[in-house]
Amino acid sequence: MKFNFIILIALLIGFVACENQPQHINIFIAGDSTAQTQNPEKTVMRGWGQVFQSYFDTTVTVQNRAMGGRSTKTFISEERWQKILDDIQPNDYVIIQFGHNDASTRPERHASYPDYKQNLITMVNQAREKQANPILATSIVMRTFKGRSLVDDRLLGYPAITRQVADSLNVPMIDAYVKTRDMIIMMGDSASKSLYMWVEPGIDKNRPDGSQDDTHLQEPGAHAVAKIIAEEIKKQNLKDLADHVLIP
C-alpha cells in the first residue's frame, strides 16, 4: 500500500512538472528575399529571417520558409504556403510578409491590389483554421534618398493594404515598413548603406562587380530588422511568445 502511495505521489509530481514546462512553439516565416536564408559561402546578403532565431530562447524554433522572388500570388501557386499549412501545429505562429514582388511589373509575380488583399485574407483564415496564430507584417522600406529625403515609393499601396487586412480581421500587425523607414531616415543616406547590399567590387561572390542595392540586406541590416520585429512581438505581448523574446 505504501509502495503504491509513493508511486502515486511520483506520478503527480511528474504531471505537475510537465504542466509547468513551457510549451514549444514554432514561428514560420512566409515571405520573400528580404527574409530568406542566404548561403553565407556565396554571398554577404542576409535575410532577417535568417538571424531571427537569435532573438528567442530555446522554447521557440524559427522555421524560415521565405523565398526570393515570391509574391503572395506565387507563394500560393507554387504550394509553398500549403507546405506551411501541412507543418504548422495549433498555437504555432506564422509571420506573413509580402509586397515587394506583388508590386513588381513582371506579370508572373504581380498581384493587383484586390488579389493581394484576397491572398492575405486567405492566408490568415487558413492559418486560423489550423488553430495557428497569423501575424501580418508590412514590407521593409526600400532605401532611396534624394538629398536628405527618403523618397522611394516602389511599394505603392501594398503596406496600406496589409494594415487594412490586419485591422479588418483583427490580426496582430508589425509595421516593418514604418519602423525601417524611420530607422533609415534617422541614420541618413550614407550610414544606412551599411545595412543594405551596398558593397564594393570583390566583396560578394554573387556580385563580383559590387552592388548598390536598396532592397536586400547585409548582416547588420538583417539583425536590425529582426530586432525590430522581435521588439514588436514583445511590445504587443503576443500570447505564449512575448515572454521568450531575447533582446541583446
Side-chain angles (χ1 to χ4, degrees):
M1 187 70 176
K2 182 179 180 180
F3 181 73
N4 290 338
F5 180 74
I6 293 173
I7 292 176
L8 178 61
I9 293 297
L11 289 173
L12 287 172
I13 292 172
F15 177 77
V16 170
C18 289
E19 284 288 298
N20 291 332
Q21 283 184 346
Q23 180 183 7
H24 192 90
I25 294 176
N26 292 294
I27 303 176
F28 290 83
I29 300 173
D32 55 34
S33 55
T34 59
Q36 179 184 352
T37 297
Q38 306 287 343
N39 186 340
E41 295 182 1
K42 295 182 178 180
T43 181
V44 298
M45 187 188 298
R46 300 289 184 271
W48 68 261
Q50 186 167 359
V51 301
F52 201 44
Q53 182 67 66
S54 62
Y55 293 86
F56 293 91
D57 64 27
T58 56
T59 64
V60 175
T61 298
V62 174
Q63 304 273 356
N64 189 13
R65 304 292 179 86
M67 183 58 61
R70 271 58 182 187
S71 60
T72 55
K73 173 182 171 180
T74 55
F75 204 85
I76 292 172
S77 67
E78 294 175 2
E79 298 188 350
R80 295 179 184 277
W81 176 247
Q82 183 58 52
K83 289 178 181 178
I84 290 177
L85 293 178
D86 290 342
D87 294 339
I88 204 165
Q89 299 296 314
N91 301 318
D92 283 346
Y93 279 81
V94 56
I95 299 174
I96 303 165
Q97 183 191 53
F98 290 95
H100 284 290
N101 295 299
D102 297 85
S104 171
T105 57
R106 295 171 63 172
E108 68 274 17
R109 296 181 178 183
H110 176 71
S112 67
Y113 286 168
D115 286 345
Y116 178 70
K117 180 178 182 179
Q118 185 55 55
N119 289 341
L120 291 182
I121 291 171
T122 296
M123 288 176 158
V124 166
N125 288 337
Q126 289 181 340
R128 284 174 164 172
E129 287 171 5
K130 299 286 288 189
Q131 300 178 53
N133 304 297
I135 301 171
L136 290 178
T138 52
S139 306
I140 65 171
V141 77
M142 300 170 82
R143 197 212 72 91
T144 302
F145 278 84
K146 183 176 182 180
R148 297 178 61 190
S149 300
L150 185 64
V151 297
D152 196 279
D153 191 32
R154 285 173 285 179
L155 288 166
L156 305 172
Y158 292 89
I161 293 171
T162 305
R163 298 183 196 106
Q164 291 170 1
V165 172
D167 184 62
S168 65
L169 297 182
N170 194 27
V171 184
M173 199 276 294
I174 297 172
D175 206 338
Y177 177 81
V178 168
K179 292 286 185 179
T180 54
R181 181 199 65 191
D182 291 351
M183 175 179 67
I184 297 304
I185 289 172
M186 293 297 291
M187 291 181 71
D189 187 2
S190 181
S192 62
K193 290 176 181 178
S194 65
L195 303 186
Y196 287 75
M197 281 293 290
W198 278 66
V199 296
E200 297 295 326
I203 298 297
D204 190 89
K205 292 180 181 179
N206 280 352
R207 304 181 183 195
D209 297 328
S211 174
Q212 296 182 358
D213 180 344
D214 289 319
T215 301
H216 300 97
L217 304 167
Q218 295 188 66
E219 187 162 344
H223 274 286
V225 175
K227 184 178 180 181
I228 284 171
I229 294 175
E231 286 176 338
E232 280 299 297
I233 288 172
K234 185 78 172 178
K235 181 179 178 181
Q236 295 183 31
N237 196 28
L238 297 185
K239 180 183 176 183
D240 298 327
L241 196 58
D243 289 343
H244 303 289
V245 172
L246 303 176
I247 304 295

